[in-house]
Amino acid sequence: MLAVDPRPLELRDVVKSYAHGAPNAVDGIDLVVEPGELFGLLGPNGAGKTTTVGIATTRVAPTDGRALVNGIDVVEDPARAKASLGVVTQFNTLDRACTVRENLDFHCRFFGASRRVAQHRADELLERFRLADRGGEMVTALSGGLAQRIQVARAIAHRPTIVFLDEPTAGLDPQSRIALWDVLGELRTDEGLTVVLTTHYMEEAEQFCDRVAIIDRGRILVCDAPDALRREHGNLAIATLGFADEPSASGAAARLRGFGTVDEDGATLRVRTPDGAGAVPGLVNAAGPGLRDLSLAEPSLETVFIALTGRELRE
Amino acid sequence: MSATVASGGPYARGSAYARAFHGLMVRDARVLRRELVAFLLRTVMNPLLFVFVFTYVFPKIGRGLGGGPAGGVSFATVLVPGLIAVAVFFQGIAAVALPLATELGGTREIEDRLMAPLPIGLVAFEKVVFSTFQSVLAAIVVFPLLYLIPAEPVSVTIASWPLLIGVVLIAGLLAGFVGLLLGTVVPPRQIGLIFSLVVIPITFLGCVYYPWQQLGPIPWLKVLTLVNPLVYVSEGLRAAMTPSLPHMPVAAVLAALIAITAALAWVSTRSFVRRVTD
């Protein structure tokens, strides 16, 4: 009997370098995901999120460190690790030679289900994911949102305890996104599924994740509940002011210091201010005639990210 | 379902792998059944036209292919083992390389099979095993054409069933591994090229239309063709089906086939695992 149940996911100082001399894609990530959590890996494109998921799901060989899924080392025993996890990749990897129903059916067969059990499970999933009338269609004919729903259904078909989703909402229409979050919510309540997902949509991470890790350049900058991160790192609104040229920006910088900390970045200034929207008229006045545009980010994971990296996420 | 790969002993593990392997086979069988017509056309077209033109049309219009092999055996007889060898070989390569090009290309649709709970090398091996099955099927489909269409007499005497079955099976595996190698090495968009650059030279220089020993007058070609695995398949089938024709010693054929298959198995599996793992 084990004293402690293994964690769904445990990464210990995981490193991945793709090419000699290039910066590490993943540069020493430590991470523990608790049972039943919805955990978000948040960061810009190229931050190392997909590689991290790739390592955890046995598809990328780590250069260093250990990755354990349900206590199973993914490098030492990938076959067993694969049996206990599910993956939804960023791109549609449904089997184009098969129908919707067959995609689910065969997936179960791969995991050792008998013909009858697999067919039963496929029907059950079609019902649950409201796909019952689409079962016989070839997957080539499906829209993006629908294809993605089937990928989620397929990922959980063998009843894994943890499922990884890489950028699940990227490229989805708003309705499909809502549907996806609903499905994930149901699966967590009904089956106690642990969910790890990557996203570069801050709002979603903030709204749905129990905890997020903000990743940049292969490292975890911070890891906590969204609320806690906001309290600790991002309780200031960030005003971004664009100027006509650098001289007018640097001229305005001195006048803006009264509102909060000012970061200079060429013709752009970032002012971190506790006043939020109330500061806007004052900022415009103080900025002077060189000001071309102004945007304000209320305290959010977005401002946390800017505070930590000095950059905006969607660059 | 999720508990299939239990932490149990090697037996439990082996049986979990076997079930996953079987699942992959079931999937491939379903896809083959759906594409059966395409499979049959692909298999039948080359030998059908070949025997029709060279062993039906030519004799009828009074044109023969010069000389004819030793022993007064018809050209049609020479073609039986040769074209079966081509069918087996071509089918084995195509059955692995063509789908692999799509699955590894833009869609990465092999991903779900790679996530099946068995080692990735076995995912590749399943493809080769299934292609061997298709190769055998191709041999069975092609044989009656070769026997029935020619206008000249065809003399086939199965000298050894075990040899015939053995050569077909090893040839199927060998071709499957060639397909695996080509499918992982050749960029998906250029997969069509392998047919003009690899399959056609292998076929024409594979002792398909002439027994190897009759290459005596062209010694350099006789030596050069020894690197072509199809030569051993043709010669092996000649030994098994048309023993009256000159053919290589059976032991040499089997040794070469087994050695080449083993080497290709190693190289192509490695290439596959590298191609799909970052």
Side-chain angles (χ1 to χ4, degrees), chain A residues 5 42 48 73 141 170 176 187 196 198 205 243 276 299:
Chain A
D5 279 345
L42 186 60
D73 189 307
S176 304
L187 290 171
V196 176
T198 74
F243 288 87

Side-chain angles (χ1 to χ4, degrees), chain B residues 191-214:
Chain B
I191 200 73
L193 261 183
I194 68 170
F195 286 92
S196 37
L197 291 182
V198 178
V199 174
I200 290 177
I202 282 186
T203 310
F204 276 87
L205 303 175
C207 296
V208 170
Y209 316 111
Y210 40 82
W212 179 72
Q213 274 165 11
Q214 290 194 330

Side-chain angles (χ1 to χ4, degrees), chain B residues 2 6 38 41 52 76 79 90 112 150 163-164 178 211 214 221 232 251 253 274:
Chain B
S2 65
L41 287 177
F52 178 67
L79 282 183
F90 173 80
D112 193 51
L163 180 64
L164 176 66
V178 172
Q214 290 194 330
L221 188 60
Y232 305 100
V253 166
R274 283 193 179 179

Side-chain angles (χ1 to χ4, degrees), chain A residues 60-287:
Chain A
V60 175
T63 312
D64 204 358
R66 285 188 83 191
L68 302 141
V69 169
N70 294 315
I72 305 156
D73 189 307
V74 300
V75 175
E76 279 167 19
D77 198 349
R80 238 178 96 216
K82 286 190 281 189
S84 74
L85 65 85
V87 193
V88 178
T89 49
Q90 195 169 351
F91 303 103
N92 175 354
T93 61
L94 293 173
D95 191 339
R96 311 292 200 276
C98 294
T99 64
V100 171
R101 193 165 183 276
E102 284 167 354
N103 264 276
L104 302 173
D105 181 351
F106 294 143
H107 180 93
C108 296
R109 301 292 295 266
F110 301 163
F111 285 82
S114 69
R115 198 167 78 137
R116 232 177 30 161
V117 170
Q119 286 178 353
H120 182 256
R121 177 71 171 152
D123 287 336
E124 183 188 53
L125 287 165
L126 288 173
E127 200 63 49
R128 160 164 222 170
F129 283 75
R130 290 175 285 278
L131 293 161
D133 51 336
R134 317 296 295 260
E137 286 177 36
M138 298 300 285
V139 298
T140 31
L142 302 172
S143 71
L146 215 50
Q148 221 244 11
R149 220 187 309 164
I150 299 160
Q151 289 212 92
V152 175
R154 187 178 68 173
I156 60 146
H158 59 289
R159 303 183 200 279
T161 53
I162 177 168
V163 63
F164 294 84
L165 301 99
D166 194 9
E167 296 284 356
T169 53
L172 286 193
D173 58 275
Q175 251 176 334
S176 304
R177 279 192 199 192
I178 294 168
L180 175 73
W181 289 114
D182 284 350
V183 161
L184 290 179
E186 270 176 43
L187 290 171
R188 294 179 65 208
T189 351
D190 298 355
E191 302 181 13
L193 192 69
T194 306
V195 179
V196 176
L197 57 87
T198 74
T199 179
H200 60 275
Y201 295 110
M202 295 281 183
E203 307 81 4
E204 284 182 351
E206 204 157 343
Q207 191 179 346
F208 297 106
C209 293
D210 299 321
R211 281 194 307 145
V212 298
I214 296 185
I215 300 193
D216 189 39
R217 296 185 174 137
R219 290 174 167 277
I220 292 182
L221 302 176
V222 283
C223 176
D224 210 334
D227 276 348
L229 289 178
R230 256 197 329 254
R231 270 200 309 276
E232 211 171 314
H233 301 277
N235 55 356
L236 301 176
I238 297 184
T240 306
L241 296 85
F243 288 87
D245 46 41
E246 226 175 305
S248 27
S250 48
R255 299 193 294 276
L256 290 167
R257 290 199 210 286
F259 294 89
T261 332
V262 180
D263 295 324
E264 295 184 47
D265 180 9
T268 305
L269 297 179
R270 262 183 220 105
V271 184
R272 273 181 257 171
T273 166
D275 307 336
V280 170
L283 287 168
V284 172
N285 266 334

Side-chain angles (χ1 to χ4, degrees), chain A residues 16 18 57 59-61 77 79-80 82-83 85 87 89 92-98 102 106-113 117 121 138 154 157-159, chain B residues 1-2 4-7 13 16-17 19-20 22-24 26-27 30-31 34-35 107-120 276-278:
Chain A
K16 175 65 186 180
Y18 281 107
T57 57
R59 300 290 296 114
V60 175
D77 198 349
R80 238 178 96 216
K82 286 190 281 189
L85 65 85
V87 193
T89 49
N92 175 354
T93 61
L94 293 173
D95 191 339
R96 311 292 200 276
C98 294
E102 284 167 354
F106 294 143
H107 180 93
C108 296
R109 301 292 295 266
F110 301 163
F111 285 82
V117 170
R121 177 71 171 152
M138 298 300 285
R154 187 178 68 173
H158 59 289
R159 303 183 200 279
Chain B
M1 257 178 269
S2 65
T4 45
V5 185
S7 48
R13 185 173 288 265
Y17 291 176
R19 276 197 301 261
H22 179 247
L24 294 168
V26 170
R27 181 259 170 208
R30 175 77 54 89
V31 174
R34 188 167 289 143
E35 292 164 0
T107 64
R108 295 285 294 191
E109 57 195 280
I110 199 170
E111 205 57 43
D112 193 51
R113 275 163 276 161
L114 296 176
M115 290 312 296
L118 78 174
I120 283 178
V276 299
T277 316
D278 281 321

Side-chain angles (χ1 to χ4, degrees), chain A residues 282-305:
Chain A
L283 287 168
V284 172
N285 266 334
L291 183 68
R292 287 292 173 271
D293 61 72
L294 182 150
S295 61
L296 185 86
E298 294 286 355
S300 67
L301 287 182
E302 181 98 42
T303 59
V304 173
F305 185 80

